[in-house]
């Protein structure tokens, strides 16, 4: 991979792990972050690293983006408004950050010499498709615009269209990654992410709150496995202009997840079911089964997810019990 890397959203959950990995590989890392959902605490382990440059700022700041992109050989665009709860609570911010911000980043990459760009997208772009496993070429099926949940997937789908348009029309080397339920240390439960929420509830001795019947299915991937995959994809020239699902295809129901968390974190914790309406307000639609087809990823890179769900829960627990939380 190239030597100087810009990470937008580098103080966020995934971005900070990526920064750590790249520094470990000898790269010079520039981080742009507005510290909205990201945090200084996430950068604590690397904050004094001589090859790390942290620039507080926003992806709405075009001159700043051009300045930073100009210093880098490539860009990981991780900055985004994420989390179902955040989207429901701040719909304008989600749409604007994700669409206008990404347009600015793509423009800056293009204007500074067509820098390679890895765009972090999401499994949410598949919307409420009912495929057993989502494949990169599947149709995207969103619900009505009156349900703000879909604005997130829709906004990231626009980002993908825009990135591919830059690739086709100007030769911008883009790689799009659709991340599936990435979890691990530093993820916070404030915006709806289920694993840190369950683990924190169990630590506190509160009931573990499963939304709906708990039969909904997800596949969780450790953030370390995800950042490994992103770096390998970025290194592979054949991946340019393409979209990849990134995750693992080991499914678990949310009820089973709650039981695992109880077992590992606090056997005395109770499990309680609450309605989606109570959790997210009226009209919320959940996705029943979210599972990636990762055959394309496996063909492109040498990738075997190392961490299973028990390791993930343990790591999240250790992190929440450490003093490295915001
Ligand atoms: N969920 C839950 N309790 C929570 C938060 C989430 O039961 O406190 C459920 C949620 O309804 C969904 C699953 O866990 O079915 C995963 O939710 P998350 O927000 O982590 O990811 P996403 O829905 O985007 O896959």
């Amino acid at each position: 991979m190239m030597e100087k890397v810009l990470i937008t959203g580098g103080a966020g959950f995934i971005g900070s792990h990526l920064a750590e990995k790249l520094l470990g590989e000898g790269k010079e890392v520039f981080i742009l972050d507005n510290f909205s959902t990201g945090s200084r605490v996430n950068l604590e382990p690397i904050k004094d690293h001589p090859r790390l440059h942290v620039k507080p700022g926003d992806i709405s700041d075009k001159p700043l983006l051009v300045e930073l992109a100009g210093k880098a050989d490539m860009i990981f665009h991780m900055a985004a408004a994420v989390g179902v709860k955040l989207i429901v609570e701040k719909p304008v911010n989600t749409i604007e950050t994700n669409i206008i911000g990404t347009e600015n980043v793509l423009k800056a990459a293009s204007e500074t010499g067509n820098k390679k760009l890895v765009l972090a997208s999401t499994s949410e772009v598949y919307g409420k498709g009912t495929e057993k496993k989502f494949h990169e070429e599947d149709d995207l099926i969103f619900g009505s615009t009156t349900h703000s949940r879909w604005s997130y997937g829709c906004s990231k789908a626009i980002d993908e269209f825009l990135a591919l348009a830059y690739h086709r029309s100007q030769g911008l080397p883009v790689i799009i990654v659709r991340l599936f339920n990435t979890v691990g240390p530093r993820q916070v439960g404030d915006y709806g992410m289920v694993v840190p929420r369950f683990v924190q509830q169990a630590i506190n001795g509160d009931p573990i709150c499963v939304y709906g019947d708990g039969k909904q299915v997800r596949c969780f991937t450790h953030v370390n496995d995800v950042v490994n995959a992103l770096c390998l994809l970025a290194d592979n020239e054949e991946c340019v202009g393409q979209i990849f699902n990134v995750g693992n295809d080991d499914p678990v129901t949310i009820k089973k997840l709650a039981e695992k968390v109880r077992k590992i974190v606090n056997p005395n914790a109770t499990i309680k079911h609450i309605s989606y309406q109570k959790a997210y307000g009226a009209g919320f639609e959940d996705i029943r089964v979210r599972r990636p087809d990762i055959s394309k990823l496996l063909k492109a890179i040498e990738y075997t997810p190392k961490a299973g769900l028990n390791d993930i829960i343990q790591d999240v627990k250790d992190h929440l019990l450490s003093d490295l939380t915001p």
Side-chain angles (χ1 to χ4, degrees):
M1 199 195 293
M2 331 224 172
E3 289 314 308
K4 295 180 184 170
V5 182
L6 167 63
I7 309 175
T8 70
F13 158 53
I14 304 176
S16 63
H17 286 280
L18 187 58
E20 225 171 314
K21 177 171 169 60
L22 293 169
L23 288 170
E25 288 176 0
K27 317 282 192 245
E28 187 159 2
V29 174
F30 298 85
I31 283 179
L32 173 66
D33 205 295
N34 67 0
F35 298 98
S36 56
T37 54
S39 152
R40 288 267 176 203
V41 185
N42 289 343
L43 300 176
E44 197 60 31
I46 50 173
K47 70 175 194 309
D48 297 322
H49 199 290
R51 274 183 278 105
L52 176 70
H53 314 277
V54 180
K55 189 86 194 169
D58 205 277
I59 49 173
S60 61
D61 186 339
K62 293 188 204 175
L64 180 58
L65 273 174
V66 170
E67 182 197 320
L68 291 172
K71 290 180 180 166
D73 305 312
M74 74 153 294
I75 303 165
F76 283 95
H77 177 37
M78 312 303 290
V82 290
V84 168
K85 197 157 175 272
L86 183 72
I87 283 119
V88 172
E89 285 170 8
K90 293 186 174 174
V92 174
N93 175 267
T94 305
I95 299 168
E96 288 186 351
T97 306
N98 290 349
I99 297 182
I100 302 171
T102 298
E103 186 185 358
N104 292 340
V105 175
L106 287 164
K107 256 198 193 119
S110 151
E111 282 171 16
T112 55
N114 263 2
K115 299 285 163 68
K116 183 182 269 188
L117 186 140
V118 174
L119 170 71
S121 185
T122 164
S123 56
E124 189 78 16
V125 297
Y126 292 107
K128 53 179 172 179
T130 52
E131 297 299 328
K132 274 212 178 100
K133 289 186 186 184
F134 291 123
H135 183 268
E136 289 85 349
E137 289 300 316
D138 284 347
D139 291 341
L140 312 183
I141 304 168
F142 296 113
S144 161
T145 51
T146 52
H147 295 186
S148 53
R149 156 171 213 148
W150 306 116
S151 67
Y152 175 50
C154 234
S155 68
K156 294 306 290 187
I158 296 278
D159 286 356
E160 293 192 10
F161 277 124
L162 203 54
L164 291 172
Y166 268 89
H167 173 65
R168 284 191 202 109
S169 66
Q170 306 181 27
L172 189 73
V174 298
I175 299 170
I176 295 170
V177 289
R178 292 182 177 159
L179 308 182
F180 278 71
N181 292 84
T182 305
V183 287
R186 299 182 197 151
Q187 187 176 41
V188 290
D190 307 3
Y191 314 108
M193 300 356 189
V194 68
V195 173
R197 289 175 75 83
F198 280 5
V199 173
Q200 190 65 61
Q201 287 161 349
I203 289 173
N204 296 348
D206 294 335
I208 299 173
C209 286
V210 172
Y211 299 159
D213 61 10
K215 290 186 185 149
Q216 63 271 40
V217 170
R218 295 293 185 275
C219 299
F220 296 96
T221 312
H222 196 291
V223 64
N224 290 346
D225 287 322
V226 170
V227 299
N228 279 342
L230 299 196
C231 292
L232 291 171
L233 288 167
D235 265 343
N236 184 345
E237 275 315 304
E238 285 176 17
C239 297
V240 166
Q242 298 200 53
I243 301 176
F244 295 89
N245 288 339
V246 174
N248 73 50
D249 64 1
D250 191 9
V252 65
T253 64
I254 296 303
K255 177 129 200 295
K256 182 91 195 143
L257 171 71
E259 287 162 1
K260 274 183 184 274
V261 168
R262 174 168 62 185
K263 191 166 168 213
I264 294 172
V265 182
N266 179 358
N268 296 322
T270 55
I271 295 175
K272 168 172 131 184
H273 288 260
I274 72 167
S275 68
Y276 288 114
Q277 168 145 357
K278 207 161 169 207
Y280 293 122
F284 182 81
E285 290 175 87
D286 196 17
I287 286 147
R288 297 304 293 170
V289 180
R290 168 172 279 164
R291 203 174 162 188
D293 178 333
I294 54 168
S295 48
K296 186 174 176 191
L297 181 72
L298 296 179
K299 257 185 223 147
I301 58 169
E302 195 97 8
Y303 170 75
T304 331
K306 287 202 190 91
L309 193 50
N310 291 347
D311 309 314
I312 291 172
I313 294 168
Q314 188 63 48
D315 276 8
V316 171
K317 175 189 168 192
D318 292 346
H319 177 74
L320 289 174
L321 290 174
S322 76
D323 54 4
L324 285 174
T325 52

